Amino acid sequence: MSKFKLDHTHEAARLSWVESANVSDCQFPIQNLPFCRFVRTGQVCVGVGIGDFVFDLTGAAQRKLVDVPGLSVGQLTQIGAGSTELRHVIFAGLEDGGGWASHSDLLYPQDSVEFLLPFEVGDYTDFYASIHHATRVGSMFRPDNPLLPNYKHIPIAYHGRSSTVVVSGSDVHRPSGQLKGDQDALPAFGPCKLLDYELELGLWVGQSTQSGQSLSVAESAQAYLGVGLLNDWSARDIQKWEYQPLGPFLAKNFATSVSPWVITLEALAPFRLPANLRGTQDPPVLDYLLDAVDQSNGLWDIQLEVLLSSAAMRAAGTEPYQVSTSNAKELYWTPAQMLAHHSSNGCRMRAGDLLASGTISGPAIESAGCLLERTWVGPEQPRRPVQISNQETRIFLQDGDCVCIKGRCQRDGFRSLGFGQCQGTIFAGKVRH
Ligand code: MN
């Protein structure tokens, strides 16, 4: 069963017996139905977002309302290829007049529950799939030749660290590390001074493979359970000194924040766009990365924004500053190409693995997905600070700063979907998650 097919669950006129899901600007109408995990009286539960509530799918499984392996024990890892059927069952239960209205005791207000990571993350890999990000960052080091020759042929990535992937709302400590400025003769150890965020999508693998098995692009396109928001916190001064020749290490692995919601591939079906929207995949990619369907619908139209607030702004009740707006359609590589490439050498994938898109930047400076780009003017020129309030500017993040990523899908004729948020606040010193 294709996860891209439009069906009755996408019809805009369909309503839920959960009234808050029917409000026009609601993030979680019945057409969305994102998965999450949360704690209910000490038990780990799977939930589905509906209106202002989480509907407890673990409770539903224990009452035999739904029969999918793993749900009754609070796990999303065993849904596998059955996600479309599960969506249909949940939709029928939560639709206006649906059979689960008599189980409204399984609804919990979202602001009353503790969210967990959607999966116990097995492995985490961060890609570099935005050509605007790669070009702008490349131009800082190579103004005449910003894009490396491999970029349009191979999806670039590095292996990240799953142990410090944290759910939205977790505080993030300012890391210490080796720093060496251009004028310094020797490195010194101390707190990072150039702390940054990276606006990314988190792609949740929903199906496992065997070691030695490769997924085609077509198989990869169906192998994700869904998508969330991700902030790949980055220490730019640590990164600059350590990254050659093997890539990022301690500059990246101190924290990665993700939103608690998995927006399913099925929910995203109306918002698919061609991979070559702007004729970007030229030169042609190798055959194992090329799939006609993926070229025609391999990206999503997801509006993204980054909001920044300082501790002083929050104390004064000042609204967060919108520091960037971007869109997932700006990616050069499709999520299916990323997974196909990742498994092309037989690397084993497991349900709950997390692939990140890389920083999603657009062509305009206001759509830059990190401060490294956002405050950069040009070679040999001082960075231009962003005015975040009447009193404060930023070049990089200060202690107490809160970064919040949000996402939205909109298309005429369909209900708008929200992604919730991915939020973290910077702390000096160490914090235990
Ligand atoms: Mn990144």
Side-chain angles (χ1 to χ4, degrees):
M1 189 177 285
S2 169
K3 298 184 180 186
F4 310 156
K5 199 166 151 281
L6 295 184
D7 59 31
H8 63 285
T9 67
H10 302 97
E11 291 172 8
R14 299 294 187 109
L15 299 173
S16 172
W17 54 263
V18 182
E19 302 261 331
S20 58
N22 305 327
V23 176
S24 66
D25 63 347
C26 165
Q27 294 202 68
F28 304 127
I30 194 165
Q31 291 80 3
N32 194 345
L33 301 178
F35 295 115
C36 68
R37 293 196 310 154
F38 68 103
V39 180
R40 183 241 299 151
T41 57
Q43 189 185 355
V44 175
C45 297
V46 168
V48 62
I50 182 78
D52 297 334
F53 296 89
V54 178
F55 186 85
D56 176 5
L57 286 179
T58 295
Q62 289 164 348
R63 295 179 191 180
K64 314 283 187 212
L65 300 178
V66 56
D67 180 24
V68 171
L71 292 187
S72 62
V73 292
Q75 298 294 337
L76 288 166
T77 46
Q78 296 174 58
I79 295 174
S83 58
T84 308
E85 289 88 345
L86 177 57
R87 174 179 171 88
H88 289 169
V89 170
I90 297 169
F91 189 93
L94 293 177
E95 194 179 14
D96 202 13
W100 294 359
S102 57
H103 295 273
S104 61
D105 59 311
L106 294 176
L107 287 175
Y108 295 86
Q110 287 172 18
D111 56 12
S112 75
V113 302
E114 177 195 349
F115 288 103
L116 303 172
L117 290 169
F119 292 91
E120 289 153 24
V121 185
D123 282 298
Y124 162 48
T125 304
D126 192 22
F127 280 82
Y128 197 56
S130 161
I131 196 168
H132 302 293
H133 174 66
T135 302
R136 205 178 276 116
V137 172
S139 68
M140 297 177 195
F141 304 102
R142 299 173 302 276
D144 300 328
N145 186 23
L147 211 55
L148 288 168
N150 59 5
Y151 189 83
K152 292 185 174 180
H153 297 280
I154 184 168
I156 300 293
Y158 66 92
H159 279 126
R161 182 87 183 163
S162 59
S163 61
T164 32
V165 177
V166 296
V167 73
S168 175
S170 307
D171 292 328
V172 171
H173 67 275
R174 177 177 297 271
S176 288
Q178 279 205 24
L179 317 171
K180 183 186 169 301
D182 291 337
Q183 312 305 320
D184 300 336
L186 293 169
F189 188 87
C192 155
K193 297 187 181 80
L194 308 181
L195 189 56
D196 202 353
Y197 59 80
E198 288 191 338
L199 164 62
E200 305 197 15
L201 284 187
L203 308 162
W204 293 105
V205 176
Q207 298 174 48
S208 300
T209 64
Q210 299 297 317
S211 187
Q213 180 187 355
S214 301
L215 295 172
S216 67
V217 172
E219 290 166 337
S220 298
Q222 306 279 339
Y224 293 111
L225 181 66
V227 181
L229 306 168
L230 184 144
N231 185 343
D232 176 28
W233 303 96
S234 298
R236 300 302 184 192
D237 38 8
I238 298 173
Q239 184 178 0
K240 188 177 179 188
W241 172 235
E242 75 170 8
Y243 86 101
Q244 289 182 314
L246 287 185
F249 181 40
L250 302 180
K252 299 277 193 171
N253 67 8
F254 57 94
T256 305
S257 300
V258 296
S259 56
W261 303 104
V262 180
I263 313 299
T264 62
L265 295 194
E266 289 85 351
L268 291 169
F271 307 101
R272 301 192 77 98
L273 289 174
N276 54 357
L277 197 59
R278 300 168 311 280
T280 48
Q281 290 206 316
D282 178 30
V285 295
L286 291 172
D287 280 351
Y288 80 100
L289 293 171
L290 187 62
D291 178 271
V293 174
D294 187 56
Q295 291 291 308
S296 72
N297 74 4
L299 291 179
W300 298 293
D301 185 355
I302 305 172
Q303 300 160 15
L304 299 163
E305 64 176 330
V306 181
L307 302 168
L308 177 53
S309 66
S310 68
M313 287 165 70
R314 295 194 299 282
T318 307
E319 286 293 302
Y321 177 72
Q322 186 188 63
V323 64
S324 304
T325 56
S326 189
N327 193 304
K329 69 184 179 186
E330 299 291 352
L331 294 175
Y332 187 84
W333 296 102
T334 68
Q337 288 176 319
M338 294 181 219
L339 183 52
H341 180 64
H342 204 320
S343 69
S344 63
N345 66 343
C347 173
R348 184 182 172 209
M349 311 304 300
R350 292 177 293 189
D353 283 353
L354 175 61
L355 275 54
S357 61
T359 307
I360 303 177
S361 296
I365 194 66
E366 294 77 16
S367 61
C370 60
L371 290 170
L372 178 71
E373 296 175 67
R374 184 72 177 79
T375 62
W376 189 70
V377 178
E380 312 298 325
Q381 296 183 61
R383 287 182 171 274
R384 180 183 297 142
V386 179
Q387 188 88 40
I388 62 168
S389 73
N390 288 338
Q391 285 79 33
E392 290 182 273
T393 61
R394 288 292 182 273
I395 293 177
F396 286 100
L397 297 172
Q398 302 288 319
D399 293 339
D401 284 357
C402 176
V403 177
C404 182
I405 299 174
K406 294 186 177 181
R408 252 285 166 200
C409 288
Q410 285 178 300
R411 180 181 159 194
D412 285 348
F414 293 88
R415 284 298 298 269
S416 166
L417 312 183
F419 280 63
Q421 64 182 28
C422 175
Q423 180 179 290
T425 303
I426 300 297
F427 251 67
K430 304 225 182 300
V431 62
R432 291 184 194 281
H433 295 297

